[in-house]
C-alpha cells in the first residue's frame, strides 16, 4: 500500500484487521508536500497497481523507489 497516515502504527493495525495477509510497514518519512509525493509514487508505480492504493511491488523495487528519493 502506498498512502499517507498521521499514525502509521495505528493504520497498520487497522489494515491488518481482517486481512488474510500479514502486513508490515516498510518505510515511512515526513515530507512537507506529502500529497504531491503520494501522487508521484502512485504514478511511478501505476504498472504495479492492483486496486485503490494497493500495489504488487517486491522488496527490490521498493528499495529502488526509496533510494530515488
Amino acid at each position: 500500500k502506498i498512502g499517507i497516515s498521521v499514525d502509521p502504527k495505528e493504520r497498520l493495525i487497522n489494515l491488518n484487521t481482517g486481512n488474510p495477509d500479514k502486513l508490515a510497514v516498510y518505510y515511512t518519512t515526513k515530507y512537507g508536500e506529502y500529497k504531491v509525493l503520494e501522487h508521484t509514487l502512485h504514478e511511478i508505480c501505476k504498472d504495479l497497481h492492483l486496486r485503490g492504493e494497493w500495489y504488487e511491488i517486491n522488496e527490490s523495487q521498493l528499495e529502488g523507489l526509496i533510494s530515488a528519493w
Side-chain angles (χ1 to χ4, degrees):
K1 180 172 186 332
I2 298 172
I4 55 177
S5 176
V6 172
D7 186 347
K9 290 179 185 178
E10 185 65 28
R11 183 72 173 131
L12 178 62
I13 290 168
N14 292 333
L15 289 171
N16 269 312
T17 301
N19 192 319
D21 298 317
K22 176 72 172 152
L23 303 175
V25 173
Y26 187 82
Y27 184 78
T28 64
T29 187
K30 291 185 178 185
Y31 193 82
E33 296 291 329
Y34 60 90
K35 289 184 180 185
V36 173
L37 175 59
E38 180 186 37
H39 177 75
T40 301
L41 293 173
H42 287 177
E43 283 296 310
I44 291 169
C45 297
K46 65 184 172 191
D47 293 339
L48 306 170
H49 184 246
L50 296 174
R51 65 179 170 77
E53 293 185 336
W54 294 92
Y55 295 80
E56 185 74 37
I57 187 167
N58 64 41
E59 191 170 339
S60 175
Q61 290 167 315
L62 277 173
E63 288 173 1
L65 190 60
I66 291 166
S67 68
W69 291 96

